[in-house]
Amino acid sequence: MSAILPGATIGILGGGQLGRMMAMAARSLGYRIHVMDPDPSCPARFVVDACFEGSWDDARAAADLARGSDVVTLEIEQISLDCLRAAERFAPVRPGIEMMRIIQNRILQKNWLRDEGFPIGEYRAIQDETEVAPSLAALGGKCFVKSASGGYDGRSQVKTGFDEQTPDVWKLLGGRPCIAEKALDLDQEISVMVARSPRGETKSFPSARNHHENQILVWSVIPSAVPQEIEQKAQQIACAIADRFELEGLLAVELFLTRSGELLVNELAPRPHNSYHASERACVTSQFEQAIRAVCDLPLGDVAVVQPAAISNLLGDLWLGHEPRFDQALTVPGVTLHLYEKHTPRKGRKMGHLSAIGATPDEAVARVLEAQALL
Ligand SMILES: Nc1ncnc2c1ncn2[C@@H]1O[C@H](COP(=O)(O)OP(=O)(O)OP(=O)(O)O)[C@@H](O)[C@H]1O
Ligand SMILES: [Mg+2]
């Protein structure tokens, strides 16, 4: 198998911030980039050679994208299988379609993890309304119920058992198949990003530590500074999952560390991940460059940490009062601003992030939060 060399064209399904940052890394390496996105003024629009307008199930647009591409990758898992199959008629699709089929459905994904023997929390798949009550009863107590497909940033999720109210889970999730998970008592959340190339080279980044509020990532830091033994376990799990899938590209493995000391897989994301934005500053190779190297079958880059770095997300909420005071935030040492050129701020919408380096992970987090507070 031969590498796809600079000068070639990479097609990306999805032109959001992840597609944009992948495109920027690809440009630095000398590639041409085409994206497909439903929104013609998507964040990647300004850094790519061509933008194909098409919804996530527009197989014709996906074929058009692939026709002019040497390889096709993606930045969002909700691309329909028809789109991926249409693209594959013209160019290799990486990650592969079978892996995407499993990951893009939470029920298939959880069942796969269970069948392959990876550690996960208790859950029940819910196919129709009659299964809601027995599933919640079987799990007992607090639960997270998540749509089988389509959710991100905590959307398409309902919490039950946290207070007196009993929400109509089935209705709230649109009357579609979903999965109920027992709410775990979390000590920490971490993630591990693995890259694997078609020739079978695998590299996994040191784990990131992630802090969520209301099911949305607030800040993240690399390295996570978890004890060595947990780091090893997390790396083993992530690499074994990538190998089992014969991954071609990136796979982010989100993990829960419970108060009782268990390390459990939360979910998988076959693409760059918000929790590795700090790799641009923390690691020798960023996740975005690594994604390009992996899908082009180039040698993978060094994943060593050069300096601890943290990011904090800038949500649309910040724009609702006044324009954020970026000039203030940038007075904090080691802080850098990343904006995605999204023109309509909305509550909960990821508009950009701040990053900060520090002598230690704690210092990096403290600085990025100090800068955020000045906005
Ligand atoms: N079973 C659970 N027990 C405890 N906390 C949970 C559970 N499931 C989800 N959460 C919390 O909600 C967050 C978001 O959940 P999850 O990763 O499943 O959703 P998502 O919408 O796919 O998020 P994202 O797209 O940001 O990764 C988790 O990172 C965690 O903080
Ligand atoms: Mg998640």
Side-chain angles (χ1 to χ4, degrees), residues 106 144 146 152-154 157 181-184 186 189 212 215 254 256 266-267:
R106 278 189 197 275
F144 285 76
K146 309 175 180 180
Y152 65 97
D153 294 342
Q157 294 196 10
E181 297 177 12
K182 199 180 182 73
L184 299 159
L186 303 184
E189 295 189 57
H212 291 79
Q215 292 132 281
E254 297 180 16
F256 291 141
N266 171 26
E267 59 165 351

Side-chain angles (χ1 to χ4, degrees), residues 131-247:
E131 294 177 354
V132 175
S135 300
L136 295 178
L139 292 170
K142 300 174 184 170
C143 287
F144 285 76
V145 191
K146 309 175 180 180
S147 281
S149 60
Y152 65 97
D153 294 342
R155 287 168 228 193
S156 305
Q157 294 196 10
V158 179
K159 296 206 268 184
T160 65
F162 283 77
D163 50 36
E164 296 305 296
Q165 287 158 8
T166 38
D168 185 344
V169 170
W170 185 252
K171 204 161 150 204
L172 285 169
L173 293 178
R176 290 181 297 132
C178 53
I179 194 161
E181 297 177 12
K182 199 180 182 73
L184 299 159
D185 194 8
L186 303 184
D187 176 26
Q188 279 187 33
E189 295 189 57
I190 61 172
S191 49
V192 175
M193 178 61 79
V194 194
R196 189 174 172 282
S197 60
R199 68 182 74 183
E201 185 185 10
T202 303
K203 279 199 176 155
S204 59
F205 288 80
S207 69
R209 178 175 174 196
N210 309 319
H211 177 74
H212 291 79
E213 284 168 24
N214 303 319
Q215 292 132 281
I216 298 188
L217 185 70
V218 174
W219 59 258
S220 179
V221 63
I222 303 172
S224 68
V226 292
Q228 188 59 31
E229 175 202 323
I230 290 166
E231 179 70 18
Q232 264 173 13
K233 236 197 230 170
Q235 294 289 335
Q236 253 167 30
I237 291 171
C239 290
I241 294 173
D243 276 350
R244 217 66 67 89
F245 273 128
E246 296 185 17
L247 169 68

Side-chain angles (χ1 to χ4, degrees), residues 40-321:
S41 57
C42 62
R45 174 76 186 91
F46 311 98
V47 299
V48 299
D49 299 282
C51 193
F52 293 82
E53 192 177 336
S55 62
W56 305 137
D57 57 3
D58 185 339
R60 184 186 293 219
D64 287 343
L65 174 88
R67 206 174 275 120
S69 303
D70 296 287
V71 61
V72 171
T73 187
L74 50 95
E75 59 120 43
I76 178 163
E77 45 272 53
Q78 303 313 333
I79 301 279
S80 74
L81 294 174
D82 280 347
C83 273
L84 297 175
R85 291 189 195 109
E88 204 182 40
R89 300 211 321 268
F90 301 99
V93 173
R94 299 175 178 160
I97 297 177
E98 178 53 16
M99 174 176 147
M100 292 302 301
R101 184 183 72 83
I102 293 167
I103 291 184
Q104 69 181 206
N105 181 298
R106 278 189 197 275
I107 298 175
L108 297 183
Q109 187 189 131
K110 272 274 193 302
N111 289 347
W112 183 90
L113 288 165
R114 178 199 61 201
D115 295 345
E116 294 290 332
F118 293 104
I120 53 175
E122 251 192 277
Y123 73 99
R124 290 286 185 286
I126 297 172
Q127 300 290 357
D128 61 57
E129 194 170 6
T130 62
E131 294 177 354
V132 175
S135 300
L136 295 178
L139 292 170
K142 300 174 184 170
C143 287
F144 285 76
V145 191
K146 309 175 180 180
S147 281
S149 60
Y152 65 97
D153 294 342
R155 287 168 228 193
S156 305
Q157 294 196 10
V158 179
K159 296 206 268 184
T160 65
F162 283 77
D163 50 36
E164 296 305 296
Q165 287 158 8
T166 38
D168 185 344
V169 170
W170 185 252
K171 204 161 150 204
L172 285 169
L173 293 178
R176 290 181 297 132
C178 53
I179 194 161
E181 297 177 12
K182 199 180 182 73
L184 299 159
D185 194 8
L186 303 184
D187 176 26
Q188 279 187 33
E189 295 189 57
I190 61 172
S191 49
V192 175
M193 178 61 79
V194 194
R196 189 174 172 282
S197 60
R199 68 182 74 183
E201 185 185 10
T202 303
K203 279 199 176 155
S204 59
F205 288 80
S207 69
R209 178 175 174 196
N210 309 319
H211 177 74
H212 291 79
E213 284 168 24
N214 303 319
Q215 292 132 281
I216 298 188
L217 185 70
V218 174
W219 59 258
S220 179
V221 63
I222 303 172
S224 68
V226 292
Q228 188 59 31
E229 175 202 323
I230 290 166
E231 179 70 18
Q232 264 173 13
K233 236 197 230 170
Q235 294 289 335
Q236 253 167 30
I237 291 171
C239 290
I241 294 173
D243 276 350
R244 217 66 67 89
F245 273 128
E246 296 185 17
L247 169 68
E248 296 180 338
L250 291 189
L251 180 71
V253 179
E254 297 180 16
L255 295 143
F256 291 141
L257 193 55
T258 68
R259 279 189 209 281
S260 54
E262 286 178 300
L263 186 62
L264 305 172
V265 177
N266 171 26
E267 59 165 351
L268 309 175
R271 50 167 172 81
H273 194 260
N274 195 174
S275 66
Y276 273 84
H277 289 357
S279 64
E280 282 195 305
R281 306 197 62 205
C283 304
V284 178
T285 308
S286 75
Q287 64 165 343
F288 305 110
E289 180 178 338
Q290 198 75 311
I292 300 304
R293 287 177 179 238
V295 302
C296 292
D297 208 14
L298 292 171
L300 297 179
D302 185 352
V303 291
V305 172
V306 184
Q307 59 191 355
I311 63 105
S312 77
N313 279 328
L314 303 176
L315 301 183
D317 315 49
L318 275 170
W319 274 255
L320 297 183

